[in-house]
Amino acid sequence: MAVPYESTGRSRQKGRTRAALVAAAHELLAEGRSPTVEDAAEAAGISRTTAYRYFPNQRALLLAAYPEIQDDAGLLPADAPADPAARLALVMRAFVEFTQRWEPQLRAQLRLSLEPGAPQPVLRRGRAIRWIEEALAPLADTHPHVDVHGLAVAIRSATGIESLVWLTDIGGLDRAQAAAVLAGSAQAILRAALDPVT
């Protein structure tokens, strides 16, 4: 098994070089560009040869440019309320803010996730579902018949970068309107699960 270049010798310096390339990719994505390894190297003031030791191609660079957030971190504050709807509102506010803040990077990840047969980026690993499940956790006691995981998946399907792209690019909404629709969709799905039409 090949050892990543930055893991061999002078690891701190290599870590800084890699971080500089990723930071450059973030900036270029935020400008609306889809940076190549050469673009990131130029922006970071690093030689192309060196940059390719860290990222052999554009896909590897863009995958590394995924927004940084601790995977085990939740979106609820320490003093979160017990009411699932209020908890979900807090999580959705933070989730939508995260999505809008990192929209160019998330759009790049979305494009990568649609490439057939390629390894899936973090976008497809379900951390948002875990955040939503945490918001809905009290339902296990108050509504034990509700499938919390299934509900979280339904909410996530209507509230992530995919939905934001559709609302803005196809639906023609501005970012504030789109954020309101995403938050409203989450609450509507929750209400439907708790009060199903018979």
Side-chain angles (χ1 to χ4, degrees):
M1 173 184 262
V3 177
Y5 173 71
E6 58 265 33
S7 299
T8 62
R10 297 183 302 159
S11 58
R12 287 184 183 172
Q13 179 180 342
K14 289 179 178 179
R16 289 191 295 271
T17 301
R18 185 181 194 281
L21 289 165
V22 170
H26 279 163
E27 291 176 12
L28 293 168
L29 283 163
E31 293 171 5
R33 297 171 60 183
S34 183
T36 63
V37 177
E38 292 94 337
D39 294 333
E42 181 179 352
I46 294 168
S47 76
R48 293 181 180 187
T49 301
T50 298
Y52 274 111
R53 290 180 182 144
Y54 294 85
F55 302 109
N57 52 51
Q58 183 185 39
R59 179 183 175 82
L61 174 67
L62 294 177
L63 285 173
Y66 190 79
E68 292 294 331
I69 188 168
Q70 290 184 354
D71 202 42
D72 58 350
L75 298 184
L76 284 171
D79 61 347
D83 176 59
R87 291 166 65 91
L88 182 60
L90 290 171
V91 165
M92 289 311 305
R93 182 180 304 125
F95 182 40
V96 171
E97 287 174 358
F98 172 83
T99 303
Q100 290 184 324
R101 176 182 173 200
W102 294 99
E103 184 178 342
Q105 292 85 351
L106 292 171
R107 281 177 177 262
Q109 297 294 312
L110 180 57
R111 286 192 300 273
L112 294 175
S113 75
L114 296 174
E115 292 178 2
Q120 291 298 301
V122 178
L123 181 67
R124 295 288 187 236
R125 295 185 189 161
R127 65 184 180 181
I129 293 171
R130 292 197 302 275
W131 295 335
I132 297 168
E133 285 178 326
E134 183 180 8
L136 302 177
L139 293 177
D141 295 326
T142 62
H143 295 75
H145 63 283
V146 172
D147 174 6
V148 171
H149 176 73
L151 179 55
V153 169
I155 291 170
R156 169 60 184 86
S157 73
T159 57
I161 184 63
E162 305 88 346
S163 300
L164 178 66
V165 167
W166 192 94
L167 289 168
T168 56
D169 294 12
I170 308 300
L173 302 185
D174 63 31
R175 296 300 184 276
Q177 292 170 326
V181 170
L182 296 175
S185 295
Q187 293 294 333
I189 293 169
L190 174 59
R191 286 193 301 272
L194 300 185
D195 300 304
V197 177
T198 56

Coordinates of all heavy atoms in Angstrom, one line a residue, residues 150-193:
G150 N -35.2 7.0 9.5 CA -35.9 7.2 8.2 C -36.4 8.6 8.1 O -36.4 9.2 7.0
L151 N -36.9 9.2 9.2 CA -37.4 10.6 9.2 C -36.2 11.5 8.9 O -36.3 12.5 8.1 CB -38.0 10.9 10.5 CG -38.5 12.3 10.7 CD1 -39.5 12.7 9.6 CD2 -39.2 12.4 12.1
A152 N -35.0 11.3 9.5 CA -33.9 12.1 9.3 C -33.4 12.0 7.8 O -33.1 13.1 7.2 CB -32.7 11.7 10.2
V153 N -33.5 10.9 7.2 CA -33.1 10.7 5.8 C -34.1 11.5 4.9 O -33.7 12.2 4.0 CB -33.1 9.2 5.4 CG1 -33.1 9.1 3.9 CG2 -32.0 8.5 6.0
A154 N -35.4 11.5 5.2 CA -36.4 12.2 4.5 C -36.1 13.7 4.6 O -36.2 14.4 3.6 CB -37.8 11.9 5.0
I155 N -35.8 14.2 5.8 CA -35.6 15.6 6.0 C -34.3 16.0 5.2 O -34.3 17.0 4.5 CB -35.5 15.9 7.5 CG1 -36.8 15.8 8.1 CG2 -34.9 17.3 7.7 CD1 -36.8 15.9 9.6
R156 N -33.3 15.2 5.3 CA -32.0 15.5 4.6 C -32.2 15.6 3.1 O -31.6 16.4 2.4 CB -30.9 14.5 5.0 CG -29.7 14.5 4.2 CD -28.9 15.9 4.3 NE -27.8 15.9 3.4 CZ -27.8 16.3 2.1 NH1 -29.0 16.6 1.5 NH2 -26.7 16.3 1.4
S157 N -33.1 14.7 2.6 CA -33.3 14.7 1.1 C -33.9 16.0 0.6 O -33.7 16.3 -0.6 CB -34.2 13.5 0.8 OG -35.5 13.8 1.1
A158 N -34.5 16.8 1.5 CA -35.2 18.0 1.1 C -34.4 19.3 1.6 O -35.0 20.4 1.4 CB -36.6 18.0 1.6
T159 N -33.3 19.1 2.2 CA -32.7 20.3 2.8 C -31.2 20.5 2.6 O -30.6 21.4 3.1 CB -32.9 20.2 4.3 OG1 -32.3 18.9 4.8 CG2 -34.3 20.2 4.7
G160 N -30.5 19.7 1.8 CA -29.1 19.9 1.6 C -28.7 20.7 0.4 O -29.5 21.4 -0.2
I161 N -27.4 20.6 0.0 CA -26.9 21.3 -1.1 C -27.7 21.0 -2.4 O -27.9 21.9 -3.3 CB -25.4 21.1 -1.3 CG1 -24.8 22.0 -2.4 CG2 -25.1 19.6 -1.6 CD1 -24.9 23.4 -2.2
E162 N -28.1 19.8 -2.6 CA -28.9 19.4 -3.8 C -30.2 20.3 -3.9 O -30.5 20.8 -5.0 CB -29.2 17.9 -3.8 CG -28.1 17.0 -3.6 CD -27.7 16.7 -2.1 OE1 -28.2 17.4 -1.2 OE2 -26.9 15.8 -1.9
S163 N -30.9 20.4 -2.8 CA -32.1 21.2 -2.8 C -31.8 22.7 -2.9 O -32.5 23.4 -3.6 CB -32.9 20.9 -1.4 OG -33.2 19.6 -1.3
L164 N -30.7 23.1 -2.3 CA -30.4 24.5 -2.5 C -30.1 24.9 -3.9 O -30.5 25.9 -4.4 CB -29.2 24.9 -1.6 CG -28.7 26.3 -1.7 CD1 -29.7 27.3 -1.2 CD2 -27.3 26.5 -0.9
V165 N -29.3 24.0 -4.6 CA -29.0 24.2 -6.0 C -30.3 24.3 -6.8 O -30.4 25.2 -7.7 CB -28.1 23.1 -6.5 CG1 -28.0 23.1 -8.0 CG2 -26.7 23.2 -5.9
W166 N -31.2 23.4 -6.6 CA -32.5 23.4 -7.3 C -33.2 24.6 -7.1 O -33.7 25.3 -8.0 CB -33.3 22.2 -7.0 CG -34.4 22.0 -8.0 CD1 -34.4 21.3 -9.1 CD2 -35.7 22.7 -8.0 NE1 -35.6 21.4 -9.8 CE2 -36.4 22.3 -9.1 CE3 -36.3 23.6 -7.1 CZ2 -37.7 22.8 -9.4 CZ3 -37.6 24.1 -7.4 CH2 -38.2 23.7 -8.5
L167 N -33.4 25.0 -5.8 CA -34.2 26.2 -5.5 C -33.6 27.5 -6.1 O -34.4 28.4 -6.5 CB -34.3 26.3 -4.0 CG -35.1 25.3 -3.2 CD1 -34.9 25.4 -1.7 CD2 -36.6 25.5 -3.6
T168 N -32.3 27.6 -6.1 CA -31.7 28.8 -6.6 C -31.5 28.8 -8.1 O -31.9 29.7 -8.8 CB -30.3 29.1 -5.9 OG1 -29.5 28.0 -6.1 CG2 -30.5 29.4 -4.5
D169 N -31.0 27.7 -8.6 CA -30.7 27.6 -10.1 C -31.9 27.3 -10.9 O -32.0 27.9 -12.1 CB -29.7 26.5 -10.3 CG -28.3 26.8 -9.7 OD1 -28.2 27.7 -8.9 OD2 -27.3 26.1 -10.0
I170 N -32.8 26.5 -10.5 CA -34.0 26.2 -11.2 C -35.2 27.0 -10.8 O -36.0 27.5 -11.5 CB -34.3 24.7 -11.2 CG1 -33.1 23.8 -11.5 CG2 -35.5 24.3 -12.1 CD1 -32.5 24.1 -12.9
G171 N -35.4 27.0 -9.4 CA -36.6 27.7 -8.9 C -36.5 29.2 -8.9 O -37.5 29.9 -8.7
G172 N -35.3 29.7 -9.0 CA -35.1 31.2 -9.1 C -35.2 31.9 -7.8 O -35.3 33.2 -7.8
L173 N -35.1 31.2 -6.7 CA -35.2 31.9 -5.4 C -33.8 32.5 -5.0 O -32.8 32.0 -5.5 CB -35.6 30.9 -4.3 CG -36.9 30.2 -4.5 CD1 -37.2 29.4 -3.2 CD2 -38.1 31.2 -4.8
D174 N -33.9 33.6 -4.3 CA -32.6 34.1 -3.8 C -32.2 33.3 -2.5 O -32.9 32.4 -2.1 CB -32.7 35.6 -3.4 CG -33.7 36.0 -2.3 OD1 -33.9 35.1 -1.4 OD2 -34.2 37.1 -2.4
R175 N -31.0 33.6 -2.0 CA -30.5 32.7 -0.9 C -31.4 32.7 0.3 O -31.6 31.7 1.0 CB -29.1 33.1 -0.5 CG -28.0 32.9 -1.7 CD -28.0 31.4 -2.1 NE -26.9 31.1 -3.0 CZ -27.1 31.3 -4.4 NH1 -28.2 31.8 -4.9 NH2 -26.1 30.9 -5.2
A176 N -31.9 33.9 0.7 CA -32.8 34.0 1.9 C -34.1 33.2 1.7 O -34.5 32.5 2.6 CB -33.1 35.5 2.2
Q177 N -34.7 33.4 0.5 CA -35.9 32.6 0.2 C -35.6 31.1 0.2 O -36.4 30.3 0.8 CB -36.5 33.0 -1.1 CG -37.0 34.4 -1.2 CD -37.3 34.9 -2.6 OE1 -36.6 34.5 -3.6 NE2 -38.3 35.7 -2.8
A178 N -34.5 30.7 -0.4 CA -34.2 29.3 -0.4 C -34.0 28.7 1.0 O -34.4 27.6 1.4 CB -32.9 29.1 -1.2
A179 N -33.3 29.5 1.9 CA -33.1 29.1 3.3 C -34.4 28.9 4.0 O -34.6 27.9 4.7 CB -32.2 30.1 4.0
A180 N -35.4 29.8 3.8 CA -36.7 29.7 4.4 C -37.4 28.4 3.9 O -38.1 27.7 4.7 CB -37.5 30.9 4.1
V181 N -37.3 28.1 2.6 CA -37.9 26.9 2.1 C -37.3 25.7 2.7 O -38.0 24.7 3.1 CB -37.9 26.9 0.5 CG1 -38.3 25.5 0.0 CG2 -38.7 28.0 0.0
L182 N -36.0 25.6 2.8 CA -35.3 24.4 3.3 C -35.7 24.2 4.8 O -36.1 23.1 5.2 CB -33.8 24.6 3.3 CG -33.2 24.7 1.9 CD1 -31.7 25.0 1.9 CD2 -33.5 23.4 1.1
A183 N -35.8 25.3 5.6 CA -36.2 25.2 7.0 C -37.6 24.8 7.1 O -38.0 23.9 7.9 CB -35.9 26.5 7.7
G184 N -38.5 25.3 6.2 CA -39.9 25.0 6.3 C -40.2 23.6 5.8 O -41.0 22.9 6.4
S185 N -39.4 23.1 4.9 CA -39.5 21.7 4.4 C -39.2 20.7 5.5 O -39.9 19.7 5.7 CB -38.6 21.4 3.2 OG -39.0 22.2 2.1
A186 N -38.2 21.0 6.3 CA -37.8 20.2 7.4 C -38.9 20.1 8.4 O -39.3 19.0 8.9 CB -36.5 20.7 8.1
Q187 N -39.5 21.2 8.8 CA -40.6 21.2 9.7 C -41.9 20.5 9.2 O -42.6 19.8 9.9 CB -40.9 22.7 10.2 CG -39.8 23.3 11.0 CD -39.6 22.7 12.3 OE1 -40.5 22.1 12.9 NE2 -38.4 22.8 12.8
A188 N -42.1 20.7 7.9 CA -43.3 20.1 7.3 C -43.2 18.5 7.3 O -44.2 17.8 7.6 CB -43.5 20.6 5.9
I189 N -42.0 18.1 7.0 CA -41.8 16.6 7.0 C -41.9 16.1 8.4 O -42.5 15.0 8.7 CB -40.4 16.3 6.4 CG1 -40.4 16.6 4.9 CG2 -40.0 14.8 6.6 CD1 -39.0 16.6 4.3
L190 N -41.4 16.8 9.4 CA -41.5 16.4 10.8 C -43.0 16.3 11.2 O -43.5 15.4 11.8 CB -40.8 17.3 11.7 CG -41.0 17.1 13.3 CD1 -40.5 15.7 13.7 CD2 -40.2 18.2 14.1
R191 N -43.8 17.4 10.9 CA -45.2 17.4 11.2 C -45.9 16.3 10.6 O -46.8 15.6 11.2 CB -45.8 18.8 10.8 CG -45.4 19.9 11.7 CD -46.3 21.1 11.4 NE -46.3 21.6 10.1 CZ -45.4 22.5 9.6 NH1 -44.5 23.0 10.4 NH2 -45.4 22.8 8.3
A192 N -45.6 16.0 9.4 CA -46.3 14.9 8.7 C -46.0 13.5 9.3 O -46.9 12.7 9.4 CB -45.8 14.8 7.2
A193 N -44.8 13.4 9.8 CA -44.5 12.1 10.5 C -45.2 12.0 11.9 O -45.5 10.9 12.3 CB -43.0 12.0 10.7

